[in-house]
Amino acid sequence: MELHNPLIKGTFILTVTGLLTRFMGFFYRIFLSHTFGAVQVGLYQLIFPIYALGYSATCAGIQTILSRSVASRLVQGRKKEARQLLYTGLLITLSVSCCFTIFLQKFAPFLAGSVLGDRRCEPLLVLLSYVFPFSAIHSCITGYCLGLKDTKIPSSSQLLEQTVRIFSVLVICQFLNHTEGSSGIWIAVLGLIFGEIASALYSLKCVRNKPGLHFLIPSSLSLQQMFFDAKELIKLSLPLTGNRILLNILQSIEAVSIPASLLIYGLSTSDALSTYGVLTGMALPCILFPSALTNSASTMLLPAITEAQTQKNVQRIKKMIRSSLCGCIFLGTGCLAGFFLLGPALGRLLFHSSLAGEFIRTLSWMCPFLYANSALISIIHGLGKTGISFLLNTLSLFIRIIGVLYFTAYWGIPGYLHCLLASQIFLFVTGILYISYHLRQMLLSSHYST
């Protein structure tokens, strides 16, 4: 492909933005751990399953389907209908997100005490509820722009969101330090809100400057057309939303069960939450940092696989799979060696925590499988088998949940870490087996058709 190809150009922009935001987020985590301590970081991490669940329920499915529907309208030359889809998507997601905000505020005590297992999360959940309306605006405009193959607005808004989030937390912390005010991890949640507000307003401003979008609500938008668009978006997004919600529920069960299982193992409440905070807020982000490269490769891989499948070019698919997996495994093996050898030093240097260093070293064995799995899932999506990827991810999560409920309770956090490795190996093996099976079926099909 030529360098000015929109796919390559867009992927490059998203890759650079992803690396920048991940780099900023990595050191932001270090700042949080130094400023608030492992226990407070543990509380902050504890509310993220609710955040992920709310995002999946309110706008994640609509964003993906909006992108596909807009791209379809543009191919057919129906630009006006593509713009109308944006207005309809905004109406749906804003309505749902406002309902979720009210729900979260009303049931914050129950969710904090009975679901998350720590009542100190209640004020954090109430604050978190204000994120979703702004997140809905941001995600809808992102989906619309990706449908237009315009990655500038999504990437710049993502970078702005991360910048405002970090800068606002730094400013508030400095202000409270000078005024001797009461600080806490609630400041980080406030940073989430400020970041989403900034990205939503910026996205609105940018999209209004696009041709045909000078006004947010056009006078020519008919209720009949809006009803038709809403029916299409809801019908297509419901299965995707349902899948993501189920996966997030399983991930939430996993997340909230880790501190509870550590209590059964014999740790105190403070030690359990501190261990959880070190694992999820320090060690895992360190292991996941290089995956920005593999995620970018996966973004390029999906449309290429789809194109080759449409052409029934099995040999080209095999070549892309071989090269992408070799690259991911090579990167993962290098990271395994680096994290294994330098893990303890990284824990002490970056987080001032020897426990974080131990976790990094243990998790290093996961790197080759973790990085390759992102490519495998992208390949399966490119083949149009999203149901298979959902099934494999669900089974992988069940392995992790079993690790939390049983092995962590008896062996402590090492039991969970070994099950985490087992889940990634399972996903890797089953992903390769399914792709091999599907390619054999494609070869047989092309043989019979000729």
Side-chain angles (χ1 to χ4, degrees), residues 309-442:
Q309 185 189 32
T310 304
Q311 298 170 345
K312 297 182 179 179
N313 192 339
V314 181
Q315 294 306 318
R316 184 185 171 198
I317 294 176
K318 284 184 175 180
K319 184 178 179 181
M320 287 189 291
I321 291 174
R322 191 181 301 112
S323 59
S324 61
L325 287 182
C326 286
C328 290
I329 293 173
F330 178 78
L331 174 65
T333 304
C335 290
L336 187 160
F339 286 134
F340 184 84
L341 295 173
L342 303 176
L346 288 173
R348 291 190 299 269
L349 177 66
L350 298 177
F351 304 108
H352 299 166
S353 170
S354 58
L355 184 60
E358 293 176 17
F359 288 165
I360 292 171
R361 170 170 279 181
T362 304
L363 290 169
S364 66
W365 294 101
M366 196 170 63
C367 289
F369 307 104
L370 178 67
Y371 302 160
N373 285 340
S374 64
L376 287 173
I377 293 300
S378 185
I379 291 166
I380 294 173
H381 284 167
L383 294 172
K385 303 298 180 181
T386 53
I388 295 296
S389 69
F390 170 70
L391 175 63
L392 297 183
N393 277 320
T394 302
L395 293 174
S396 176
L397 268 171
F398 272 123
I399 294 174
R400 286 156 55 179
I401 291 173
I402 291 172
V404 173
L405 296 179
Y406 295 98
F407 294 98
T408 306
Y410 289 101
W411 296 338
I413 203 67
Y416 171 69
L417 297 181
H418 285 92
C419 283
L420 197 60
L421 173 61
S423 71
Q424 293 298 324
I425 295 175
F426 168 83
L427 193 57
F428 177 78
V429 172
T430 53
I432 287 181
L433 289 176
Y434 177 77
I435 291 171
S436 300
Y437 165 78
H438 187 81
L439 291 179
R440 285 197 299 270
Q441 294 299 112
M442 286 183 65

Side-chain angles (χ1 to χ4, degrees), residues 137-397:
I137 296 172
H138 182 203
S139 65
C140 269
I141 295 176
T142 295
Y144 173 76
C145 292
L146 291 176
L148 298 176
K149 296 182 180 178
D150 178 3
T151 56
K152 292 180 182 178
I153 295 176
S155 58
S156 56
S157 63
Q158 180 187 359
L159 189 59
L160 177 67
E161 187 271 333
Q162 184 80 311
T163 302
V164 172
R165 177 197 301 189
I166 296 173
F167 183 72
S168 62
V169 171
L170 292 174
V171 169
I172 294 172
C173 286
Q174 287 297 318
F175 174 77
L176 291 176
N177 287 338
H178 282 91
T179 59
E180 297 183 356
S182 176
S183 63
I185 202 63
W186 60 269
I187 299 173
V189 184
L190 205 58
L192 282 175
I193 300 172
F194 289 149
E196 286 294 348
I197 291 174
S199 61
L201 294 178
Y202 171 79
S203 299
L204 278 173
K205 180 181 181 300
C206 289
V207 82
R208 285 182 64 180
N209 291 332
K210 279 186 168 292
L213 283 170
H214 296 298
F215 301 97
L216 187 59
I217 301 296
S219 57
S220 60
L221 182 62
S222 67
L223 291 177
Q224 183 178 2
Q225 183 63 42
M226 181 175 286
F227 176 79
F228 176 79
D229 291 340
K231 184 179 178 182
E232 176 187 350
L233 290 175
I234 292 173
K235 181 181 178 181
L236 293 174
S237 66
L238 275 180
L240 185 60
T241 301
N243 287 347
R244 291 196 61 160
I245 288 175
L246 180 57
L247 285 175
N248 278 315
I249 288 174
L250 293 175
Q251 289 170 341
S252 301
I253 293 172
E254 176 194 21
V256 301
S257 299
I258 293 175
S261 295
L262 289 173
L263 288 175
I264 297 174
Y265 174 68
L267 297 184
S268 65
T269 301
S270 178
D271 288 341
L273 200 56
S274 176
T275 301
Y276 177 72
V278 170
L279 173 64
T280 58
M282 301 178 193
L284 273 175
C286 190
I287 293 293
L288 291 172
F289 185 81
S291 66
L293 297 173
T294 56
N295 290 342
S296 301
S298 300
T299 302
M300 297 174 62
L301 195 59
L302 191 151
I305 291 289
T306 303
E307 180 183 344
Q309 185 189 32
T310 304
Q311 298 170 345
K312 297 182 179 179
N313 192 339
V314 181
Q315 294 306 318
R316 184 185 171 198
I317 294 176
K318 284 184 175 180
K319 184 178 179 181
M320 287 189 291
I321 291 174
R322 191 181 301 112
S323 59
S324 61
L325 287 182
C326 286
C328 290
I329 293 173
F330 178 78
L331 174 65
T333 304
C335 290
L336 187 160
F339 286 134
F340 184 84
L341 295 173
L342 303 176
L346 288 173
R348 291 190 299 269
L349 177 66
L350 298 177
F351 304 108
H352 299 166
S353 170
S354 58
L355 184 60
E358 293 176 17
F359 288 165
I360 292 171
R361 170 170 279 181
T362 304
L363 290 169
S364 66
W365 294 101
M366 196 170 63
C367 289
F369 307 104
L370 178 67
Y371 302 160
N373 285 340
S374 64
L376 287 173
I377 293 300
S378 185
I379 291 166
I380 294 173
H381 284 167
L383 294 172
K385 303 298 180 181
T386 53
I388 295 296
S389 69
F390 170 70
L391 175 63
L392 297 183
N393 277 320
T394 302
L395 293 174
S396 176
L397 268 171

